[in-house]
């Protein structure tokens, strides 16, 4: 009689129909294709566990994501704060630099324009051209004319205006050219007025230059200067000279060169403005009106090389002698 065979360990002890579906229960669909885990070596339930961990709010995966985002956020905040600090530091350095430049510029400007560093000292003023052919000017008088500007910076001084002040303050000075002489002085070059005529007045004899400027008043008529007179004055019927007549005659005499001027003893003008000159040798010059003085003077210088009693240069392009 045969004994029943005992089941081997690797064989299932389940009934043969254990895997069959229960009669009447719907059969569960099985997915086709590869294993949902994505790998035949993956541990059972690993994928599901990871998904669940990420899905659950309190899971370790969500904590790791939050920690990573916190690190990124903290690093960005630090970088922004550092950048703001750097920008503030740069603005502060720029502002400091601008303030320093302004202060240095103000100090230099004050030193150049207002400090004693370049201040004018009258003792350092040099005067040139003090002596002319017919007179002289005292250097101290020039320094006194510029004394009101003592202590002013040479940079701020208007040298053209200073020249006008010297010429306006000293009657003997026709013009003055002023230049700076660093650091504290000035150089003044003078052009002096030359006396050319003398006019008798109630107070004496007025010495005049070619522009009819009264250089001085003398008690006696200086020698070597032509006297001014109105036509007919010797007969006592001529009116006194007016300013225009004086200016016309001094301009005529001033146009002559020094040698010719010394030969003129008197200038006479008529009521119509016609000028005539009396020479020391007794000859006379018919000058005409006060136009073309420079040309007439050149022609007269040439005519005086010949002996004559009358030299007529009233028409300088057609002069005559007789």
């Amino acid at each position: 009689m045969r004994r029943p065979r005992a089941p081997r360990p690797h064989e299932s002890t389940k009934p043969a129909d254990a895997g069959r579906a229960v009669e009447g229960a719907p059969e569960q669909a099985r997915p086709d294709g590869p294993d949902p885990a994505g790998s035949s070596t993956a541990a059972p339930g690993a994928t599901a566990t990871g998904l669940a961990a990420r899905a659950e709010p309190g899971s370790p995966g969500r904590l790791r994501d939050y920690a990573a985002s916190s690190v990124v956020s903290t690093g960005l905040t630090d970088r922004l704060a550092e950048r703001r600090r750097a920008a503030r530091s740069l603005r502060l350095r720029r502002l400091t630099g601008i303030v320093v430049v302004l202060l240095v510029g103000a100090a230099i400007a004050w030193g150049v324009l207002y400090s004693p560093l370049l201040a004018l000292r009258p003792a350092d003023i040099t005067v040139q051209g003090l002596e002319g052919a017919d007179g002289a000017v005292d250097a101290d008088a020039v320094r006194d004319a510029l004394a009101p500007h003592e202590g002013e910076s040479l940079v701020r001084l208007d040298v053209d205006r200073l020249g006008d002040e010297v010429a306006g303050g000293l009657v003997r000075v026709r013009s003055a050219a002023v230049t700076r002489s660093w650091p504290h002085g000035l150089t003044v070059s003078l052009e002096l007025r030359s006396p050319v005529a003398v006019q008798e007045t109630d107070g004496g004899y007025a010495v005049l230059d070619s522009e009819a400027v009264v250089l001085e008043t003398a008690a006696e008529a200086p020698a070597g200067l032509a006297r001014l007179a109105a036509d007919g004055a010797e007969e006592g019927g001529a009116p006194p000279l007016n300013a225009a007549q004086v200016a016309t005659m001094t301009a005529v005499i001033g146009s002559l060169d020094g040698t010719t001027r010394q030969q003129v003893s008197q200038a006479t003008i008529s009521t119509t403005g016609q000028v005539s000159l009396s020479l020391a040798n007794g000859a006379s010059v018919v000058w005409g009106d006060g136009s073309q003085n420079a040309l007439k003077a050149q022609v007269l210088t040439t005519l005086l090389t010949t002996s004559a009693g009358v030299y007529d240069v009233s028409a300088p392009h057609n002069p005559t002698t007789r």
Side-chain angles (χ1 to χ4, degrees), residues 148-166:
H149 301 284
E150 180 179 1
E152 294 184 23
S153 173
L154 298 187
V155 178
R156 293 194 295 123
L157 291 177
D158 185 346
V159 293
D160 293 333
R161 183 169 59 87
L162 294 181
D164 294 339
E165 290 181 6
V166 172

Side-chain angles (χ1 to χ4, degrees), residues 196-197 208-212 228 245-255:
V196 298
L208 309 173
D209 76 336
S210 60
E211 296 178 349
L228 305 182
Q245 290 174 325
V246 172
T248 299
M249 287 189 288
T250 55
V252 169
I253 300 173
S255 66

Side-chain angles (χ1 to χ4, degrees), residues 93-129:
R93 287 197 300 270
R94 288 179 177 175
L95 180 60
T96 303
I98 292 174
V99 171
V100 170
V101 170
L102 291 177
L103 291 177
V104 172
I108 294 175
W110 178 84
V112 171
L113 298 177
Y114 299 100
S115 76
L117 183 64
L118 299 175
L120 174 64
R121 298 174 183 172
D124 293 335
I125 296 176
T126 302
V127 185
Q128 300 174 348

